[in-house]
Amino acid sequence: MGHTSLDKIIALQRNPANIRNLCILAHVDHGKTTLADCLVASNGIISTRLAGKLRYLDSREDEQIRGITMKSSAISLHYRNGDQDYLLNLIDSPGHIDFSSEVSTAVRLCDGAIIVVDAVEGVCPQTQAVLRQAWLENIRPVLVINKIDRLILELKLTSQEAYSHLQKILEQVNAVTGTLFTSKVMEERAEKEKKEEEVEEEEKESKILSGDQVYDWSAGLEEADDSQLYFSPDQGNVVFASAIDGWGFSIQQFAHIYSQKMGIKAEVLLKTLWGDFYLNAKAKKIMKGAQVKGKKQLFVQLVLDNIWSLYDAVVTRRDKEKVEKVIASLGVKVLARDSRHSDPKVLLSAICSQWLPLAQAVLSMVCEKLPSPIDMTAERVEKLMSVGPRRFDSLPEQTQELKRAFLQCSSGENDPLIIFVSKMFAVDTKTLPQNRPLTQEEIAQRRELARQRHADRMAADQTAPLKPVKDNTCVISRYPKSETISTKMEGLTLKDSQPEEEDQQTFVAFARVYSGVAKKGRRVFVLGPKYDPAQGLSMMPEGSSAWDRVPAVPHLSICSMDSLYLLMGRELEELDEVPVGNVLGIRGLEECVLKSATLSTSPACPPFIPLNFEATPILRVAIEPKHPSEMPKLVRGMRLLNQADPCAEVLIQETGEHVLVTAGEVHLQRCLDDLRKRFAKIEISASKPIIPFRETVVRPPKVDMVNEDLGKQHKVAIIHQVKEASQGRPSDTLHVDHSGLVTLTTPNRLATVSVRAIPLPQEVTCLLESSTELIRTLEQVNMSLREGKSLDISPRTLEAIAGLKAQLESLLQGRKWRNAVEHIWAFGPRRYGPNILLNLVEGYQRPSLWQCLGRGDQSGEAGAQAAGMRDLDNSIVSGFQLATLSGPMCEEPLMGVCFSVERWDIQSAALPQHQDSLKEDSISHGALTDSRVEGSSETWTAGLCQARRRPQAASADCYGPVSGQLIAAMKEACRHAFQAQPQRLMAAIYTCEIMATAEVLGRVYGVLGKREGRVLHEEMKEGTDMFIIKAVLPVAESFGFADEIRKRTSGLASPQLVFSHWEVISSDPCWVPTTEEEYLHFGEKADSANQALKYMNAVRRRKGLYVEEKIVEHAEKQRTLGKNK
């Protein structure tokens, strides 16, 4: 097919039924970009000879050097299937785990996906990840099994062995899909059961009495329709290919060929070409049971044998006579230069690309099997529009009416415009269509137009009237002198500004039109992720548009679409309008859109749900310019990088450092290169990676470091260490109990708190960490209730909060956790972290954290008490938040720690004139320690009476010394309670998947062992000599790991690192020998390597904290200058 004109593509954009939006997804190095090259070559954009070598959609220099895709690129292709013309918006996505965020941005804009699987490696970790992403976005996949030539040339498999191998790969892919499907059905079943629970309970007794069904154990899978779910060649959703050699086929092609040759119906061949069928030549029948009878399957006999014999003749034996026979029988034309070429692959590619053209097989499958924008399911529309905890049913009626516009793909004048921007990408301003160098044809055309204009002007000059002036000169009235001068000045200013413009980056939004028609210059509403359509509709006048002056609405802004572009890989083509169902680029949104956003002309449109990112950014580096004067350029460059990369995060820490957070080493390298060459354009220096740690406490160990049983002396030793550490603090304000209870008094002696630190069970920590969004919502609800505001909470949110509470109650079992969930005061740090503050103060009843679940209102007395104690209550919570944000070991956040406040005494605020007497008659710390908590309620009652009499004094005290000192006291009490327990560091852990051959297995294990890695399991892939090793590796030890693995194994092993979890480092960083056995084993200094201490000291050194280490070990052994003389 020849090159398609822009006018043809514009015409095809108007027919959404024949549009296919698809992306190519696969594991790294499985052949996505090579396949994309073959598809691009079918449109005449690149030469078919360069397909696979040019990697056209890898437009970045570092992509070409590394040989991997780093960003998703889109291109529009035209394909004629039968008598129908189709427009294919193809997006090529990366396969490396570091760039999985780019996959998320691509998947959101598509209706279908091509999953590419390497025929040798099979299903890899990233294959599973992209299948899951496609499933979560409700898009339909088709399968391409690529690199089948490797089975012939590398593994040397026979056609029969290759068939078995391909069957196993299909089973692996279908197993992943089946798992996803099963989990979805089970979830739906659980929801259905929950809804019908009440009805079932009512009918339960009658069913048992009548002898009907008592329990239904079916999972709902029997009724679920999975006919279109799995990949099978006879369904037409699988293509077998070798993209590098330019061939590919589906079962349909061979069924069509052999139906003409053998006279068998194509429908019959279609059902029997894949499966356990064989051809009985004598009976001239296709029969079942080839494997049992030892016969060749039809697929082997009619398809694979022919391909194997072609490779044998052309590549292996180079048999010219046989090649000529094959060429003649296939009826293909081969150029003389191809047949004489020294590389046999050139001849093979020339034959195969005509016999089994890859583009034809893949694109026809895409047109027939993938849905068009019109076929978008109602389920997907509702899922896209149900942002946050709100259900689609709970959205305003005007919002629900937009569903019709989605499903009908409406493109009328009155239909609302809805666009989703999945990412912003930067392009050089000089590469935009309006700034591109002109072609020869365009120059000739413009020259002709200029001549015509000049001729018209000359004719106008001759006919224009002349005005006489005082000095007897004449001026042409149509062209005043001032205008000519200003025109010349404009030209000069434009020329001067051109060099600056060339260096600039312009942001283009990568987007798709879901409804309406996008027009150049049109103004639209930009809906932020927190925008509420109900609030927007209530605040804006009815029928208002983006052109009107509208009142300020939270999370809503207005922007103009300056230019619309057709994305053509490395180039952009300017368009005036883009109809519904198409992928496009939009310029002019950089001021309003940071990374992704929803655009609409209707304020009733809700923002789309956020993108699903597989990789979590975990790798941090601090960045500074080489020359301090260039700091403004660095700040601007980092702001641009933050906008251009969907996964990168830019932070400014409390220390003033500019920190870049990325998903991995390759991603970090790309971001640093972008900063140096594109965005900041200055020399920068990056620190060593900032490794995140967490601090926690554990239960006291039962054995010491030499596995001897511990008695009470170990606990005493720990408390003794705490007392030694706190020698600098006045002893009359701090008291540490032998059980770990810390009692601290404020310096003004008005308040005393007693706090105990308890380790949380690991399951609770994991639950809290995974429920951060829900806890944040719960905190917002409680804040609104405290302020007396009414908040509309969706039933789904309430169900989720009730579920969280039930899970916590089931996990926190035992005597010490009795009623703990009801007494939760706050979560931390930042009010939604994995630490808990418990209220165990006797006589203090505060509103429950779960009050949104209760139907009745709080009692008047409790409300009054909450009102009186609110400010100081917040002081306790603030102290807890500060303590959990930076722990005592190395100022890292705490994780999995529960602080229980067992006592909180406070005296009523004294009048200003009695301050001196209060200081003299202050109660000593010992008396406070012995006093009972019951008396505190009377003190509070007196305090409340005084607060009612003196509201001004009370409000002043809210931010006065009592509040501030209570925050500091609570923070210090939490830190001391933490140190009174066995403390540990928690390290961030990567899950590491390594594919390696048997020869280099030992070297892989050696590298893992050296870097504190731990192998979980290994398995051999059937039919290959490849092993899959699954291991865990600390993030702190992962830098340079991939390079070292590749060097040690000569490139035969490649790791994939994904952040997995946090893990407690077993060794105690503060450990010193305490028992006689430990002294004997480790010596008095105990200076053997302590991994936790090494990590802790490294973090303390980086933060400028005190590090206890001896610089000089043996002073008497140093040589002096005097001795050397």
Side-chain angles (χ1 to χ4, degrees):
M1 188 182 289
H3 186 66
T4 308
S5 67
L6 181 61
D7 294 334
K8 178 71 175 173
I9 288 177
I10 291 170
L12 289 170
Q13 283 186 336
R14 301 184 188 284
N15 182 11
N18 283 7
I19 294 172
R20 299 290 183 271
N21 297 312
L22 67 142
C23 53
I24 305 178
L25 309 175
H27 187 78
V28 66
D29 287 335
H30 277 202
K32 296 179 299 302
T33 309
T34 307
L35 173 63
D37 268 8
C38 294
L39 304 184
V40 169
S42 69
N43 269 224
I45 297 169
I46 62 171
S47 163
T48 50
R49 289 176 178 276
L50 293 175
K53 303 175 185 70
L54 185 63
R55 300 207 309 278
Y56 180 73
L57 293 179
D58 286 354
S59 53
R60 292 171 58 97
E61 186 184 350
D62 47 4
E63 287 180 317
Q64 294 286 345
I65 292 167
R66 283 183 178 267
I68 60 169
T69 306
M70 294 185 183
K71 66 174 183 57
S72 46
S73 307
I75 192 165
S76 294
L77 304 175
H78 166 230
Y79 179 67
R80 188 170 183 81
N81 188 33
D83 58 346
Q84 295 281 329
D85 283 322
Y86 289 89
L87 176 65
L88 309 170
N89 295 315
L90 176 73
I91 304 174
D92 181 29
S93 63
H96 198 284
I97 188 65
D98 282 10
F99 307 107
S100 63
S101 57
E102 292 279 347
V103 177
S104 303
T105 62
V107 165
R108 170 57 62 85
L109 304 184
C110 295
D111 301 307
I114 299 174
I115 308 291
V116 183
V117 176
D118 189 322
V120 173
E121 294 182 6
V123 174
C124 293
Q126 195 60 12
T127 315
Q128 297 179 15
V130 296
L131 275 167
R132 184 165 56 251
Q133 280 178 301
W135 180 266
L136 289 172
E137 289 289 345
N138 285 33
I139 67 171
R140 191 180 300 169
V142 291
L143 182 66
V144 173
I145 298 179
N146 193 23
K147 301 191 182 184
I148 289 184
D149 58 298
R150 291 183 67 191
L151 301 179
I152 307 169
L153 302 175
E154 284 183 30
L155 298 187
K156 312 281 187 194
L157 299 182
T158 64
S159 54
Q160 186 68 48
E161 290 167 343
Y163 173 73
S164 304
H165 185 75
L166 293 172
Q167 269 188 320
K168 283 172 187 167
I169 288 174
L170 267 174
E171 285 171 11
Q172 289 171 8
V173 180
N174 285 332
V176 176
T177 313
T179 308
L180 295 167
F181 175 70
T182 308
S183 63
K184 182 192 173 188
V185 172
M186 300 283 268
E187 280 175 19
E188 287 176 356
R189 168 84 177 183
E191 282 182 21
K192 192 178 175 184
E193 279 181 353
K194 208 169 188 179
K195 288 175 185 175
E196 295 174 355
E197 207 168 34
E198 294 175 8
V199 182
E200 283 179 7
E201 281 178 6
E202 290 173 9
E203 297 175 0
K204 196 173 184 182
E205 290 182 15
S206 60
K207 281 186 179 181
I208 293 170
L209 291 170
S210 60
D212 288 345
Q213 163 193 334
V214 176
Y215 181 70
D216 177 19
W217 61 83
S218 66
L221 292 168
E222 294 82 1
E223 300 88 17
D225 179 28
D226 59 350
S227 57
Q228 300 297 316
L229 179 70
Y230 298 109
F231 299 105
S232 178
D234 53 6
Q235 285 188 10
N237 58 3
V238 179
V239 162
F240 303 92
S242 170
I244 198 71
D245 291 338
W247 61 265
F249 65 88
S250 62
I251 293 289
Q252 282 82 346
Q253 285 173 269
F254 275 98
H256 181 68
I257 292 167
Y258 284 111
S259 67
Q260 293 174 344
K261 282 189 176 181
M262 300 168 67
I264 304 172
K265 287 181 182 178
E267 294 81 10
V268 175
L269 279 172
L270 199 59
K271 289 178 183 176
T272 56
L273 258 177
W274 182 264
D276 195 27
F277 299 96
Y278 70 98
L279 185 66
N280 189 332
K282 290 181 182 177
K284 292 185 179 180
K285 287 181 181 179
I286 294 173
M287 304 184 78
K288 203 171 183 179
Q291 192 172 0
V292 177
K293 295 173 184 176
K295 305 281 187 181
K296 273 188 180 181
Q297 286 88 351
L298 267 182
F299 187 75
V300 177
Q301 190 177 351
L302 301 182
V303 180
L304 294 185
D305 279 352
N306 291 321
I307 294 169
W308 256 244
S309 61
L310 178 63
Y311 268 84
D312 182 59
V314 177
V315 181
T316 312
R317 295 186 184 179
R318 301 196 185 188
D319 189 340
K320 286 187 179 180
E321 291 180 9
K322 192 171 182 182
V323 169
E324 285 171 8
K325 284 181 183 176
V326 168
I327 291 170
S329 64
L330 293 175
V332 296
K333 293 179 182 178
V334 178
L335 298 174
R337 67 173 183 179
D338 290 339
S339 58
R340 288 198 300 266
H341 204 283
S342 58
D343 184 5
K345 281 292 190 86
V346 174
L347 175 59
L348 180 75
S349 184
I351 296 169
C352 290
S353 59
Q354 294 177 62
W355 176 38
L356 302 169
L358 174 61
Q360 183 186 329
V362 173
L363 295 181
S364 59
M365 174 177 69
V366 163
C367 294
E368 290 165 13
K369 295 296 172 184
L370 294 187
S372 68
I374 291 177
D375 300 327
M376 186 184 284
T377 59
E379 181 190 3
R380 189 182 179 201
V381 173
E382 290 183 11
K383 192 176 177 184
L384 284 175
M385 297 173 79
S386 302
V387 68
R390 301 198 65 171
R391 280 162 50 178
F392 183 76
D393 306 342
S394 65
L395 293 170
E397 285 184 19
Q398 291 165 276
T399 305
Q400 294 187 41
E401 285 171 12
L402 293 174
K403 180 180 170 182
R404 180 188 55 79
F406 265 89
L407 295 174
Q408 292 179 357
C409 275
S410 314
S411 56
E413 285 294 325
N414 299 323
D415 289 310
L417 173 66
I418 301 171
I419 299 173
F420 181 74
V421 176
S422 68
K423 70 168 183 173
M424 303 289 284
F425 63 95
V427 295
D428 291 331
T429 307
K430 60 185 178 184
T431 62
L432 293 173
Q434 52 265 40
N435 302 330
R436 254 203 319 256
L438 300 174
T439 61
Q440 291 295 327
E441 294 82 2
E442 288 172 331
I443 291 169
Q445 192 178 0
R446 289 198 178 192
R447 191 185 295 124
E448 192 61 40
L449 283 168
R451 281 175 185 163
Q452 187 67 40
R453 278 201 303 271
H454 183 67
D456 293 345
R457 192 179 298 157
M458 292 299 289
D461 289 350
Q462 290 172 5
T463 57
L466 298 179
K467 287 186 180 178
V469 190
K470 286 179 183 177
D471 57 355
N472 297 324
T473 57
C474 293
V475 180
I476 300 170
S477 63
R478 284 188 61 183
Y479 300 101
K481 191 175 183 180
S482 60
E483 189 177 307
T484 316
I485 291 166
S486 65
T487 311
K488 285 182 181 176
M489 290 300 292
E490 265 185 72
L492 284 170
T493 52
L494 279 171
K495 282 178 184 174
D496 292 342
S497 66
Q498 270 180 359
E500 293 177 12
E501 221 176 81
E502 283 178 3
D503 294 341
Q504 286 181 355
Q505 297 286 326
T506 300
F507 277 95
V508 177
F510 190 44
R512 172 180 165 179
V513 185
Y514 283 90
S515 171
V517 180
K519 293 183 180 178
K520 184 178 176 180
R522 192 170 185 180
R523 287 169 69 82
V524 290
F525 294 116
V526 180
L527 315 174
K530 293 182 180 178
Y531 172 71
D532 184 5
Q535 186 184 15
L537 288 169
S538 64
M539 293 178 70
M540 293 171 69
E542 195 173 343
S544 56
S545 70
W547 294 99
D548 305 329
R549 288 177 66 87
V550 294
V553 179
H555 311 292
L556 178 78
S557 56
I558 296 174
C559 203
S560 175
M561 299 187 289
D562 295 344
S563 301
L564 306 179
Y565 299 115
L566 176 69
L567 304 171
M568 292 296 290
R570 302 182 183 190
E571 296 177 2
L572 301 171
E573 297 290 346
E574 196 162 9
L575 301 172
D576 291 327
E577 63 176 42
V578 178
V580 65
N582 287 284
V583 174
L584 77 159
I586 308 171
R587 184 166 71 95
L589 303 179
E590 59 265 25
E591 296 299 324
C592 298
V593 179
L594 180 63
K595 292 177 186 280
S596 64
T598 310
L599 314 179
S600 180
T601 52
S602 168
C605 180
F608 284 18
I609 59 169
L611 297 166
N612 295 304
F613 288 147
E614 285 285 321
T616 311
I618 188 86
L619 187 59
R620 297 172 175 235
V621 290
I623 294 174
E624 60 181 19
K626 284 277 178 72
H627 307 291
S629 60
E630 294 177 328
M631 179 58 85
K633 289 184 179 178
L634 175 68
V635 172
R636 180 179 171 274
M638 291 187 79
R639 182 176 58 79
L640 295 175
L641 174 67
N642 185 39
Q643 192 168 15
D645 195 302
C647 191
E649 293 177 10
V650 173
L651 311 169
I652 298 178
Q653 289 194 327
E654 293 86 351
T655 55
E657 289 178 307
H658 288 76
V659 174
L660 177 65
V661 193
T662 57
E665 279 191 277
V666 183
H667 187 207
L668 172 64
Q669 194 59 49
R670 192 195 80 172
C671 290
L672 293 177
D673 288 346
D674 279 352
L675 265 180
R676 290 191 185 102
K677 296 174 184 176
R678 297 182 69 188
F679 300 129
K681 295 185 179 175
I682 57 170
E683 288 185 35
I684 58 172
S685 57
S687 70
K688 287 182 179 178
I690 299 170
I691 304 149
F693 287 97
R694 296 288 182 268
E695 300 179 22
T696 191
V697 292
V698 294
R699 295 175 67 185
K702 293 180 180 176
V703 293
D704 62 8
M705 294 289 283
V706 287
N707 292 332
E708 294 284 340
D709 282 338
L710 278 173
K712 289 184 180 178
Q713 77 274 7
H714 191 69
K715 289 183 183 177
V716 173
I718 290 172
I719 302 300
H720 181 64
Q721 289 170 31
V722 173
K723 283 184 178 176
E724 283 181 349
S726 60
Q727 275 177 358
R729 177 172 287 278
S731 58
D732 60 337
T733 58
L734 173 68
H735 176 71
V736 182
D737 193 2
H738 65 87
S739 64
L741 181 69
V742 174
T743 305
L744 194 71
T745 309
T746 56
N748 61 8
R749 307 300 177 88
L750 291 180
T752 304
V753 286
S754 297
V755 181
R756 189 192 306 276
I758 311 165
L760 282 172
Q762 189 179 354
E763 298 83 7
V764 176
T765 309
C766 294
L767 175 64
L768 294 178
E769 199 181 9
S770 62
S771 308
T772 50
E773 286 299 323
L774 188 61
I775 295 170
R776 196 180 296 179
T777 307
L778 176 64
E779 180 60 33
Q780 288 171 356
V781 171
N782 285 333
M783 196 175 291
S784 300
L785 291 172
R786 282 197 296 270
E787 292 170 0
K789 295 178 182 175
S790 61
L791 191 68
D792 181 28
I793 311 164
S794 70
R796 185 182 290 183
T797 309
L798 288 173
E799 283 175 20
I801 292 170
L804 174 65
K805 185 184 178 185
Q807 281 180 285
L808 283 172
E809 284 172 344
S810 65
L811 293 171
L812 292 173
Q813 296 287 343
R815 184 174 53 82
K816 67 176 179 179
W817 297 113
R818 189 175 297 143
N819 296 328
V821 177
E822 288 295 337
H823 290 128
I824 292 177
W825 200 332
F827 298 97
R830 298 187 180 89
R831 296 185 178 267
Y832 57 85
N835 302 287
I836 291 176
L837 178 67
L838 284 186
N839 171 26
L840 298 183
V841 180
E842 289 184 34
Y844 177 35
Q845 296 295 326
R846 65 187 304 279
S848 171
L849 188 79
W850 316 99
Q851 59 185 324
C852 60
L853 298 176
R855 299 287 175 220
D857 294 333
Q858 299 292 329
S859 65
E861 189 180 345
Q865 192 175 11
M869 296 179 64
R870 182 179 300 143
D871 300 322
L872 296 172
D873 183 281
N874 280 341
S875 299
I876 293 286
V877 174
S878 299
F880 163 72
Q881 301 295 342
L882 289 171
T884 52
L885 190 59
S886 57
M889 294 169 73
C890 51
E891 303 292 330
E892 289 288 299
L894 302 190
M895 188 173 188
V897 185
C898 172
F899 291 105
S900 65
V901 181
E902 300 190 2
R903 178 179 165 197
W904 176 23
D905 294 345
I906 188 162
Q907 286 191 336
S908 57
L911 291 168
Q913 55 265 33
H914 297 145
Q915 285 292 336
D916 296 331
S917 61
L918 181 69
K919 285 179 185 174
E920 290 171 13
D921 303 330
S922 61
I923 303 166
S924 67
H925 171 69
L928 278 171
T929 310
D930 298 334
S931 65
R932 300 299 298 163
V933 183
E934 283 81 357
S936 64
S937 59
E938 295 173 12
T939 314
W940 265 110
T941 312
L944 285 172
C945 294
Q946 289 183 14
R948 289 193 189 98
R949 289 177 200 143
R950 295 179 293 100
Q952 291 178 352
S955 62
D957 191 57
C958 164
Y959 302 106
V962 177
S963 174
Q965 289 190 16
L966 188 55
I967 291 172
M970 181 63 191
K971 179 187 172 185
E972 287 302 312
C974 288
R975 288 170 77 97
H976 283 289
F978 182 91
Q979 288 177 305
Q981 302 293 332
Q983 46 195 348
R984 297 286 185 272
L985 271 184
M986 293 183 82
I989 300 292
Y990 277 137
T991 299
C992 175
E993 298 249 2
I994 307 171
M995 293 190 67
T997 54
E999 303 90 60
V1000 296
L1001 213 54
R1003 295 177 199 170
V1004 170
Y1005 276 28
V1007 175
L1008 277 169
K1010 189 176 83 174
R1011 290 176 174 265
E1012 308 286 333
R1014 193 171 73 250
V1015 176
L1016 300 179
H1017 65 83
E1018 66 168 54
E1019 59 177 333
M1020 189 174 186
K1021 284 188 88 69
E1022 288 186 50
T1024 68
D1025 61 344
M1026 301 292 286
F1027 282 85
I1028 297 179
I1029 304 156
K1030 190 163 186 178
V1032 288
L1033 183 76
V1035 172
E1037 303 289 342
S1038 68
F1039 308 112
F1041 174 71
D1043 288 339
E1044 188 178 357
I1045 282 274
R1046 276 194 288 271
K1047 284 174 187 172
R1048 292 289 304 276
T1049 62
S1050 307
L1052 294 174
S1054 55
Q1056 287 267 38
L1057 298 172
V1058 189
F1059 175 71
S1060 172
H1061 62 284
W1062 296 91
E1063 194 172 278
V1064 178
I1065 302 171
S1066 57
S1067 54
D1068 182 0
C1070 305
W1071 177 80
V1072 289
T1074 52
T1075 62
E1076 190 178 344
E1077 289 80 5
E1078 286 176 344
Y1079 273 111
L1080 287 170
H1081 192 274
F1082 293 102
E1084 192 175 341
K1085 287 197 300 178
D1087 54 357
S1088 56
N1090 185 336
Q1091 196 69 21
L1093 181 63
K1094 187 183 86 173
Y1095 290 150
M1096 187 179 83
N1097 284 343
V1099 176
R1100 292 184 70 89
R1101 201 174 288 113
R1102 176 172 59 78
K1103 292 184 176 181
L1105 302 171
Y1106 170 70
V1107 178
E1108 188 178 348
E1109 57 183 349
K1110 290 180 182 176
I1111 297 171
V1112 178
E1113 282 288 325
H1114 305 288
E1116 71 278 1
K1117 289 189 179 179
Q1118 286 189 338
R1119 299 177 68 86
T1120 61
L1121 291 171
K1123 276 193 173 184
N1124 288 334
K1125 281 180 180 177

